[in-house]
Amino acid sequence: MAGTIIVTGANGSLAIPAVRYLLTNYPDYTAVLTVRSTEDSDPNTKKLRETIAKFPKAQTSIRQLDLANLSAVHDFASAIAAEVADKKLPPLASIVCNAYYWNLVGDPEFTADGVERSIQVNHISHVALVLRLLGSFGPEGGRVVLFTSDGHFSGKNGLEKYPPGIPDDLDSLLKATPESDKLGHGFKRYANSKLAILMWGYALNRYLEKDEALNKITAIVIDPGSLTDSRALRTNTPQFLHYVQRFALQPLRPLLRLKDPTMRTAADAGADVIELAANKAYPGERGYLKLLKREPSSPDSLNEDKQQKVWVKSAEWAKITKENTALASSI
């Protein structure tokens, strides 16, 4: 089943090797690759363009999409839906919600919508994108690939200082105030966004299963592992993390993997993501994976009452209504 695969944050550390893997192994797919800047003045976009240039017969396009602007996300979704309807693009086969944001060194940042940037980029804008485009999948269905991390599970990540958790006042996730401990609170904001993604993904699967028109679409929420060569460790992070990556994580990865098998390269993770997006890994299945293994997610993430609250609030935050999603019965 070929079709269109959308990848957000397509010039990222995981995404570029994932795109290369996709074009090498599944060339029949059409790839829509979104980035914040499509200009080659962005070195990461330039690298993405150089990557796809090696596949001259591939059906690819690089599109601008700023996930920190919710109106832009809705406009993009409308444009893609129109292209599918007009047969300018094949029906969707997968949406890979790869883009992310964190800031472990500065004060909280806010989007044009007045929302804390981590929760909007990582979660809310992807909610809008997915729910707006469910009706653009083909009759064979497809897959939504969402990304969480071990940060969602209290006590699992060495950067955690304050445990993640979904508060009773969900709207407080959209807000933040400057704190002296920028690393600790910045990581908590990131971890909370990853917990929200996971809980929303569980709820999404329940609604998809109940929908006769959409029940062939499955959602997988993957923790891709600790990517020792990721640019994430050098972006908006303290200097000590740069040194740890350069002098420990990368050169010692084979040894570190003996103790922690989640230590791996972005290319390894990218291959897994594409196998999921193409519905080759765990075909037709739903749920949470750590790497490509079934493991239980955190106890907090399995609370169905809170999952439902996150589901309802996420639709509200993402400005999803019965009129703009094919999953109207759940909104």
Side-chain angles (χ1 to χ4, degrees):
M1 179 193 72
T4 298
I5 293 180
I6 297 174
V7 181
T8 68
N11 59 1
S13 300
L14 182 152
I16 290 177
V19 169
R20 184 185 304 113
Y21 186 92
L22 170 66
L23 300 182
T24 301
N25 294 278
Y26 300 107
D28 291 341
Y29 284 93
T30 297
V32 173
L33 311 173
T34 81
V35 295
R36 204 167 51 243
S37 170
T38 58
E39 302 300 321
D40 278 354
S41 55
D42 183 322
N44 302 315
T45 298
K46 183 178 181 181
K47 185 175 180 182
L48 173 63
R49 189 166 279 115
E50 290 169 348
T51 297
I52 64 176
K54 297 174 183 177
F55 302 88
K57 296 183 179 180
Q59 298 297 310
T60 63
S61 61
I62 297 176
R63 313 282 187 103
Q64 184 172 14
L65 177 60
D66 183 0
L67 295 172
N69 184 327
L70 191 58
S71 293
V73 176
H74 280 274
D75 290 345
F76 175 82
S78 295
I80 293 294
E83 289 183 50
V84 172
D86 294 341
K87 302 189 186 312
K88 295 178 181 177
L89 280 175
L92 298 188
S94 184
I95 303 174
V96 179
C97 300
N98 168 72
Y100 92 101
Y101 175 83
W102 71 0
N103 190 337
L104 310 186
V105 292
D107 289 333
E109 295 180 71
F110 295 87
T111 67
D113 303 292
V115 174
E116 192 279 315
R117 194 178 183 96
S118 298
I119 193 72
Q120 178 160 337
V121 171
N122 300 352
H123 177 53
I124 297 170
S125 287
H126 283 130
V127 169
L129 185 67
V130 169
L131 293 183
R132 286 292 310 274
L133 288 175
L134 287 175
S136 296
F137 279 78
E140 302 89 353
R143 183 160 264 171
V144 175
V145 182
L146 303 167
F147 287 72
T148 188
S149 81
D150 62 1
H152 91 272
F153 201 134
S154 182
K156 296 289 188 180
N157 191 291
L159 294 177
E160 179 189 307
K161 293 187 178 181
Y162 312 105
I166 300 299
D168 292 334
D169 177 10
L170 289 175
D171 286 327
S172 67
L173 290 172
L174 312 189
K175 307 167 187 175
T177 56
E179 303 278 358
S180 58
D181 184 357
K182 301 186 189 310
L183 170 60
H185 289 282
F187 186 79
K188 182 177 181 180
R189 291 191 294 273
Y190 168 80
N192 280 347
S193 75
K194 293 298 182 178
L195 178 56
I197 290 166
L198 178 55
M199 297 176 79
W200 184 81
Y202 282 129
L204 172 62
N205 273 322
R206 284 199 296 274
Y207 283 110
L208 288 172
E209 285 186 281
K210 295 174 185 175
D211 193 303
E212 291 185 6
L214 301 175
N215 61 16
K216 292 183 180 178
I217 302 172
T218 61
I220 286 285
V221 192
I222 185 172
D223 171 359
S226 301
L227 311 184
T228 58
D229 55 350
S230 173
R231 288 200 312 272
L233 295 174
R234 305 188 299 276
T235 304
N236 295 336
T237 55
Q239 192 67 38
F240 82 85
L241 275 182
H242 306 193
Y243 292 128
V244 168
Q245 181 183 47
R246 181 178 179 185
F247 297 111
L249 296 180
Q250 294 201 80
L252 300 178
R253 180 172 55 235
L255 293 175
L256 294 172
R257 289 199 68 175
L258 297 175
K259 183 177 181 181
D260 181 358
T262 70
M263 294 276 185
R264 60 182 187 155
T265 67
D268 291 336
D272 287 354
V273 166
I274 295 305
E275 290 296 321
L276 290 167
N279 206 27
K280 301 298 183 182
Y282 294 94
E285 295 188 39
R286 310 167 191 269
Y288 166 76
L289 298 174
K290 189 173 181 68
L291 282 63
L292 278 187
K293 296 180 180 179
R294 288 284 190 191
E295 291 191 14
S297 58
S298 71
D300 285 349
S301 71
L302 298 173
N303 184 318
E304 290 195 11
D305 288 339
K306 281 200 171 183
Q307 289 171 8
Q308 182 62 22
K309 290 176 182 177
V310 168
W311 172 265
V312 171
K313 268 296 181 182
S314 296
E316 176 187 319
W317 296 334
K319 294 182 169 52
I320 295 297
T321 67
K322 293 180 180 180
E323 289 71 39
N324 64 14
T325 179
L327 201 62
S329 62
S330 66
I331 304 302

